[in-house]
Amino acid sequence: MTETIKDIWGSITNNINSRLASPFFGAFLVSWVLCNWDKLALLFFGMQSVDSRISVFQDSIAWISIGHENSVSTIWWPLAISSIYMFLSPYLHIVIQQIQKHSAGLRYSLTVDQDVDKEDARGRLVKAKAKANLQNKVAEDEVRAEIENSVAETKKLQEDAVAAEARKNLIQEKYLEAQEKVKELKLANEALARKEAKKLQDAEKATFAFDKSKAEHENELLTLQLPLAYQYMNTLSDSLNDDEKRYSLFHLSEIIAATFGYQSFEQLIKDESFTAKNIKKIKYLSYDSETLFDCLNNVIESENEEDYDSSWLFEHIQMTLDQYSLQLQDIDSVAEEAIEELWDSVYSEVLEADTVNSEMAITNAHFDDVDDLHKVSHWWVSGDGLYIKYSCTLSGTNDPDKMFYGDTIYVDFEVKHPLVIGESGLGKYEMYDVKARGKDYSDESDWEHLKLDNKLKQ
C-alpha cells in the first residue's frame, strides 16, 4: 500500500515539475501569484473558518464573461505579464551582455598576463630540468643500445622458428601429396583390372558365341529339308485335330504368318531372316492384338466355325508355340517383363557408360549397388523393334580419406529390343543413350531424374 502511494505521489510531482519547467507555464504561474497574492493570503492566513475562506476565494476568482472584473486579475494581467517577460527578457539579456563586454575584456587581458608569467616560469623550470637530464644521457644511450641488441637477437630467434615451422609444413604437404598419389594409383590399377576382366569376359563370350553359331549352322543344314513354316503348320494342325477340327493348308499358313508378324504367308517365305538361327534369337514373341485377332476372326468365318471364337484359336496357337519354347505376349506385357532380364547385367553395362564414369570420378565413391530400377515408358517402332526407357539409382560407399562429394548417382537409359523375325520376334536388348547425374545436396528440390529426349519415338 505504501509503495502504491509513493508511486502515485511520484507521478503527481513529476507531472507538476514538467509543467513548471515549461517557460510559459512557469512565468504565467508566477504572474498569477503576484496579481492575486491578496486572495491567496486570505485563503491560507484568514481568520474566518476554512469553509468561509474557500467560499470567498471562489467568489474572488470566479468569472463568467470576458469583461467580468475578476477576469482582469485572474487571466488578463497574468497573461500580459508572462508574455512581456517571455518576449522582452531575451532583449534584456542582450543589453546586459553588451554592458558586461568591457569588463569581460579586462578580465581576459588579466588572465592572459597571468598565463604569460606562468609560461616564463615554466620555461625556466624546463631549462633547469634539461641541464639535470643532460648528465644522464650517456647512461640512457648505453641502456638503449643494450635493449636494441636484445631485441635484434629475439627477432632472429623468431625468424629461425618461423623458417623451421615452414620446413615442417612443406614436408607434411609433400607427405600428403605422396599419399594422395598412392591412392590415385591404386584406383587406377583397380579400374585397369576391371577393364582387363571385362575384356577376358568378352573374349569368352565371343568364343562361346562362335561355337554356338557353328553348332546352329550345322543344325540348320541338317534340318534344311524340312521347312520351318511347315513344322509350325503341322504342329498347329495336330493341336486342332485334338478338338476334331481340320483347317485348310491356306488358313494354317495365314495363321502362322500372322503369328510371326507377317502380312501374308508369301511374305514369310520370301523373308531370308525366317531361319532356325534367328528363331533361336527370339527373346519375346510379341503381337498386335488388333492385327492378330482380325486375322483369326477372318479364318474362323472362312471355316464356318459357329461354336468357337478367336480366343479358342489363340489358345491353340499358344499351345503350338509352347512346344518350341515360345510364347505370344502383347507389347505392354513384354515391356513389363523385360525388366527382369536387366537385373543380371544392368550393373556392369551401366558402369561402362562414359557419363556414369564421369559422375563416379567426381564423387570419389565406390559404387556397388543398383537400386530402384523401374520402367519409365516404352514405345514401338514399326520395322525396328521395341524401345523402353528405364531409370535406376547407383549407391556407393564414399572414401573416408577424402572429402565427401556424394554417394548417389541417378541414371536414365534406353534399351532397344530389335526385330529378328517379321514384326513380332524381338531379340535381346541393346542399351544406348545413357544419362547420369550425381545427387545435388545443395538443392533439396532437385530430386527428379533427368528429362531425356526420347529418340525414334512415334
Side-chain angles (χ1 to χ4, degrees), residues 117-399:
D117 295 338
K118 290 180 180 180
E119 290 297 326
D120 291 340
R122 191 176 67 82
R124 292 193 299 272
L125 178 61
V126 170
K127 186 182 293 185
K129 287 183 178 180
K131 291 180 180 179
N133 291 333
L134 186 61
Q135 298 175 358
N136 299 326
K137 184 176 180 180
V138 176
E140 291 178 358
D141 292 339
E142 292 178 355
V143 172
R144 187 180 298 105
E146 292 178 358
I147 292 174
E148 291 177 354
N149 292 333
S150 178
V151 170
E153 292 178 358
T154 302
K155 184 177 181 180
K156 183 178 180 182
L157 292 176
Q158 290 177 349
E159 292 177 352
D160 294 340
V162 171
E165 184 66 22
R167 288 193 296 271
K168 179 181 177 181
N169 293 335
L170 180 61
I171 293 172
Q172 184 68 19
E173 291 178 0
K174 295 294 183 182
Y175 174 72
L176 294 176
E177 290 179 0
Q179 283 188 331
E180 189 69 22
K181 290 181 179 179
V182 170
K183 292 177 182 177
E184 292 177 356
L185 183 60
K186 182 179 179 181
L187 293 176
N189 292 334
E190 291 177 355
L192 182 61
R194 288 196 297 269
K195 290 182 179 179
E196 293 297 331
K198 178 62 178 175
K199 289 181 180 179
L200 181 60
Q201 185 179 5
D202 292 341
E204 292 177 354
K205 288 182 179 180
T207 303
F208 176 78
F210 176 78
D211 295 339
K212 183 179 179 181
S213 176
K214 182 179 179 181
E216 290 175 352
H217 180 67
E218 293 175 354
N219 183 63
E220 184 179 357
L221 293 177
L222 292 174
T223 59
L224 186 61
Q225 295 178 354
L226 187 62
L228 292 175
Y230 181 76
Q231 291 185 27
Y232 290 110
M233 292 165 57
N234 188 49
T235 306
L236 177 59
S237 179
D238 293 339
S239 178
L240 293 173
N241 287 337
D242 293 338
D243 283 345
E244 299 180 353
K245 297 293 180 182
R246 293 184 180 275
Y247 279 10
S248 64
L249 184 63
F250 173 77
H251 286 153
L252 291 175
S253 63
E254 290 298 318
I255 293 173
I256 295 302
T259 300
F260 285 96
Y262 294 98
Q263 296 180 358
S264 65
F265 186 74
E266 183 181 0
Q267 185 182 14
L268 183 149
I269 295 300
K270 292 182 178 180
D271 187 6
E272 295 179 357
S273 64
F274 190 79
T275 62
K277 181 179 179 180
N278 287 338
I279 287 178
K280 291 183 179 181
K281 292 180 180 180
I282 294 177
K283 188 71 177 179
Y284 305 100
L285 190 60
S286 63
Y287 69 90
D288 180 71
S289 59
E290 182 178 355
T291 303
L292 179 61
F293 281 91
D294 284 347
C295 177
L296 298 182
N297 288 328
N298 293 333
V299 171
I300 291 175
E301 290 177 2
S302 300
E303 293 288 343
N304 296 321
E305 293 287 351
E306 297 180 356
D307 298 331
Y308 299 94
D309 57 8
S310 58
S311 299
W312 165 80
L313 187 53
F314 181 84
E315 291 178 1
H316 280 283
I317 297 173
Q318 196 67 267
M319 288 187 290
T320 299
L321 295 175
D322 287 342
Q323 300 183 33
Y324 299 94
S325 300
L326 296 174
Q327 185 180 10
L328 270 175
Q329 295 176 283
D330 60 83
I331 300 298
D332 294 336
S333 299
V334 172
E336 294 298 330
E337 184 179 335
I339 194 172
E340 299 297 332
E341 181 185 357
L342 282 173
W343 278 109
D344 296 332
S345 58
V346 65
Y347 174 73
S348 59
E349 295 194 24
V350 166
L351 290 184
E352 292 177 0
D354 294 337
T355 55
V356 176
N357 287 327
S358 299
E359 291 297 329
M360 291 173 60
I362 295 174
T363 59
N364 291 327
H366 303 285
F367 293 88
D368 49 10
D369 290 323
V370 176
D371 302 320
D372 192 24
L373 176 62
H374 63 279
K375 178 178 73 70
V376 178
S377 61
H378 69 276
W379 61 97
W380 178 269
V381 179
S382 180
D384 195 8
L386 176 64
Y387 288 82
I388 309 176
K389 179 180 176 181
Y390 295 97
S391 290
C392 66
T393 303
L394 291 179
S395 301
T397 303
N398 193 70
D399 192 338

